[in-house]
Amino acid sequence: MNLHEYQGKQLFAEYHLPVSNSQVIFSANEAKEACFKIGGCKWVVKAQVHAGGRGKAGGVKLVNSPEEAEAFALNWLGKQLVTYQTDANGQKVSAILIESCTDIAKELYLSAVIDRSSRKIVFIASSEGGVNIEDVAKNSPEKIIYESIDPLTGPLPFQARRISKVLGLNSLQSKQFNQMLPNFVRLFQEKDLSLLEINPLVIKEDGNLHCLDAKINIDSNALFRQPKLVEMRDPSQEDPKEQEAAKFDLSYVSLDGNIGCMVNGAGLAMGTMDTIKFFGGDPANFLDVGGTATQERVANAFKIILADPKVKVVLVNIFGGIVRCDLIAKGILAAIDEVGVNVPVIVRLEGNNAESGSAIIEESNYAIESLNNLQEAAKRAVELAQ
Amino acid sequence: MSILVNKDTRLLVQGFTGSQATMHSEQAIAYGTNVVGGVTPGKGGSLHLDKPVFNSVLEAKELVNPNAAIIFVPAPFCKDSILEAAEAGIELIICITEGVPTLDMLIVKEKIDALGLKLIGPNCPGVITPGEAKLGIMPGDIHLRGSVGIISRSGTLTYEAVKQTTDLGLGQSTCVGIGGDPIPGSSFIDILKLFQEDDETKAIVLVGEIGGSAEEEAADFIASYVTKPVISYIAGQTAPAGKRMGHAGAIIAGGKGTAADKIAKLKSCGVHIADNLLEIGNTVKAVLG
């Protein structure tokens, strides 16, 4: 799950990490009052969407009057912001963050992720901030430092000093960073983050370190113990079909093709998509109905797949492990009966009791074909989709 | 021979009396696995599926001496259950549950390594040595005892590979599902080492998927240490970047972890690639001649 910048900065403030004085607004008429509350005569207004690249897309602006801030909010709230990180439709601007203006002396980069290889939280820092870190890694790797945190000891001052050196901090800033680093780690661990990124972390004109941006991803597996973060979820930033699927505990990702897929297991679902593509077709979605494909789950899966008007044919690929295929076949028919499916359906059942499962499908009155190997099933689906 | 589990495996089931554990324990016992008991705190002293129930792993360890444990408890309690089994000195711990928080796994993995124990999973189908022991949720009857060792990050995709090698009469020595999470208890490399040393295993199938760099690390290991033929299929060749494909580990992030990169790397390290899912069995057969 992703957070908005303003939510990330609320967490930063909670962990004594330096952020700008700010207000978040959800309607344009709150803009002027927000500017007065913050004070000063210059503000930065930032459109809140779950995507980077906002500045280049016009979603971030320096304004010199509360009226200008209001005009920005009026222009952007509820509109779609398209950046290089979004798709062509962009993401809906659901809030505007208004901040006091920061005088920047230098832009730096800091992030933390869980590194799968070393199995530790790793901090990535660079003296080149405000730019794409992947480019820095490619063009000037010597400007990046990776520092992993030992779960036994936590972050140590020598590590903070090592990062400070690469960031080019003076002794005062280095002391500040030494105080910040344990707070970043605590935030990461206590809130179950999977990504924390500050790009840029800046040195202000007055010489102090300051977090100018906040990108935070949370480990979805840990949401059960993060009720406050769950409240921060912004459904407007998520694909409605994916949300609907999540409600039914189905894993769904919408794609561009016209062959709807329903598969049990994430790996097999990807394998099925690949097979469709191999035979010249295009999958409309990734959908994992889970290990136990019950009638209820299959019915919900059909509803979600068929809500996509692109879908011309549905390919069901179930490897019945512990669940018997004859029961799955009955579930599929009952689900089709319940939902009212009006496109051809190809079913491939394999595993436990597959033959009687296929027989049940063939004897039904629906426009549904049973093919017992994936190759034929995928070919047939591709043929029908053309 | 085989790896990890065999007829001498003495299995303890954690979360024994729950519905999933009950169903899969029944199947395991029917398959011939030696289930020596289970743990459900508060239900110690009773019998379940004719096997003794204990309040703690330590109690079970003292009384029935299990050498393997399988965990079916809900995700919020997995860290506790795995570490309880580890503290009791259970050599092989298999965690089936999906949805375990990644930060829990960082601690668990550190501890398991320090104690020199083996953990498979979480979020995995388990381990089976055909005809000897089934420690997991895979369907027993698609397996056939034979010469192919199978390692996979995915459940049903493993079954597909198993079915193909069974249909071709090759069979399997042992099948290990290491799970689809970012921090698995055992890596491809951990299991490759075991298959390399196992006499019965003549070829190894490595079923990978997009996300992370486990396949690339495995490829380097294979180039240096594995003399047996390795056949690989990578799922997610058509997956878009930035979208998580079901498994917590299956996401292409920052242009890294794509199927194309993994396939190129594996090929360069001498691994035989099955271009599509349907060709896994045939590729093994062709390689073994």
Side-chain angles (χ1 to χ4, degrees), chain A residues 114-121 134 137 150-152 188-194 219-225 239 242 251-255 263-275 277-279 283 286 288 290-292 317-323 348 350-353 373-376 378, chain B residues 20 23-24 27 75-77 79 98-104 106-107 109-110 113 134 136-142 153-157 159-160 163 167 181-184 187 209-213 217 233-240 243-251 253-254 256 275-279:
Chain A
I114 294 171
D115 178 50
R116 298 182 188 198
S117 302
S118 65
R119 299 180 302 263
K120 289 190 171 60
I121 296 171
E134 273 105 23
D150 188 321
L152 198 65
F188 200 100
Q189 291 175 329
E190 290 176 3
K191 301 295 180 191
D192 278 299
L193 307 192
S194 55
D219 176 9
S220 306
N221 285 351
L223 290 175
F224 69 86
R225 61 187 178 199
D239 182 301
E242 289 174 23
S251 185
Y252 174 93
V253 176
S254 131
L255 302 166
V263 187
N264 66 333
L268 189 58
M270 283 190 276
T272 306
M273 284 159 48
D274 294 347
T275 307
K277 201 93 173 181
F278 186 80
F279 289 117
F286 163 96
D288 173 11
T292 48
N317 183 18
I318 304 281
F319 204 114
I322 297 301
V323 189
R348 182 259 183 160
E350 184 57 89
N352 199 346
N353 270 15
N373 82 54
L374 179 57
Q375 182 166 345
E376 285 171 34
Chain B
Q20 288 293 310
M23 178 174 81
H24 294 297
Q27 303 243 358
F77 314 112
K79 177 181 166 190
E98 70 173 280
V100 179
T102 309
L103 288 174
D104 284 4
L106 291 188
I107 307 284
K109 179 66 182 151
E110 191 81 14
D113 286 353
K134 173 169 120 74
I137 59 173
M138 66 289 281
D141 58 3
I142 58 169
R153 273 167 76 179
S154 150
T156 44
L157 199 50
Y159 309 163
E160 196 71 50
K163 179 85 173 38
D167 288 349
D181 279 1
I183 311 288
S187 65
E209 62 188 31
I210 54 160
S213 57
E217 286 155 23
Y233 168 72
I234 304 293
Q237 297 174 29
T238 53
K243 293 274 190 182
R244 171 176 149 172
M245 292 288 151
H247 288 159
I251 180 165
K256 288 198 185 121
D275 290 330
N276 78 71
L277 173 56
L278 309 162
E279 289 301 318

Side-chain angles (χ1 to χ4, degrees), chain A residues 89-340:
Chain A
N89 293 323
Q91 295 275 88
K92 188 177 170 185
V93 179
S94 53
I96 305 279
L97 180 67
I98 305 182
E99 287 192 331
S100 57
C101 186
T102 304
D103 295 317
I104 302 166
K106 185 161 178 23
E107 293 188 321
L108 311 168
Y109 175 91
L110 183 72
S111 69
V113 293
I114 294 171
D115 178 50
R116 298 182 188 198
S117 302
S118 65
R119 299 180 302 263
K120 289 190 171 60
I121 296 171
V122 174
F123 277 81
I124 305 165
S126 172
S127 53
E128 300 277 299
V131 293
N132 190 342
I133 192 67
E134 273 105 23
D135 294 341
V136 183
K138 212 190 299 170
N139 302 327
S140 34
E142 73 286 353
K143 288 180 177 161
I144 298 186
I145 182 171
Y146 303 85
E147 198 69 49
S148 43
I149 306 302
D150 188 321
L152 198 65
T153 62
L156 292 164
F158 79 85
Q159 297 184 294
R161 289 196 293 272
R162 211 145 59 185
I163 295 173
S164 297
K165 186 162 178 260
V166 173
L167 292 180
L169 304 184
N170 67 27
S171 69
L172 179 78
Q173 292 149 1
S174 183
K175 263 184 205 155
Q176 284 182 356
F177 187 74
N178 189 24
Q179 286 172 349
M180 286 163 72
L181 186 61
N183 293 338
F184 279 124
V185 175
R186 250 186 348 109
L187 166 63
F188 200 100
Q189 291 175 329
E190 290 176 3
K191 301 295 180 191
D192 278 299
L193 307 192
S194 55
L195 170 76
L196 183 165
E197 184 178 58
I198 306 148
N199 190 17
L201 170 74
V202 301
I203 301 172
K204 295 196 291 183
E205 291 284 0
D206 66 9
N208 291 309
L209 284 175
H210 194 78
C211 303
L212 209 56
D213 196 9
K215 183 176 179 191
I216 286 183
N217 296 352
I218 298 152
D219 176 9
S220 306
N221 285 351
L223 290 175
F224 69 86
R225 61 187 178 199
Q226 300 293 353
K228 279 191 184 158
L229 298 182
V230 172
E231 284 172 25
M232 291 182 173
R233 170 164 249 153
D234 180 357
S236 76
Q237 302 297 307
E238 296 164 15
D239 182 301
K241 287 197 293 294
E242 289 174 23
Q243 275 180 66
E244 187 69 13
K247 263 192 234 160
F248 297 115
D249 212 19
L250 299 169
S251 185
Y252 174 93
V253 176
S254 131
L255 302 166
D256 296 331
N258 59 7
I259 302 176
C261 302
M262 186 191 310
V263 187
N264 66 333
L268 189 58
M270 283 190 276
T272 306
M273 284 159 48
D274 294 347
T275 307
I276 289 171
K277 201 93 173 181
F278 186 80
F279 289 117
D282 260 317
N285 64 279
F286 163 96
L287 191 151
D288 173 11
V289 283
T292 48
T294 60
Q295 179 185 329
E296 194 194 354
R297 296 179 74 95
V298 171
N300 288 328
F302 266 121
K303 283 180 201 161
I304 289 155
I305 291 173
L306 295 171
D308 179 351
K310 297 192 305 290
V311 171
K312 282 190 179 168
V313 52
V314 178
L315 173 61
V316 181
N317 183 18
I318 304 281
F319 204 114
I322 297 301
V323 189
R324 281 166 29 207
C325 288
D326 51 334
L327 293 180
I328 293 170
K330 284 180 188 160
I332 291 171
L333 294 181
I336 289 177
D337 200 30
E338 185 190 330
V339 180

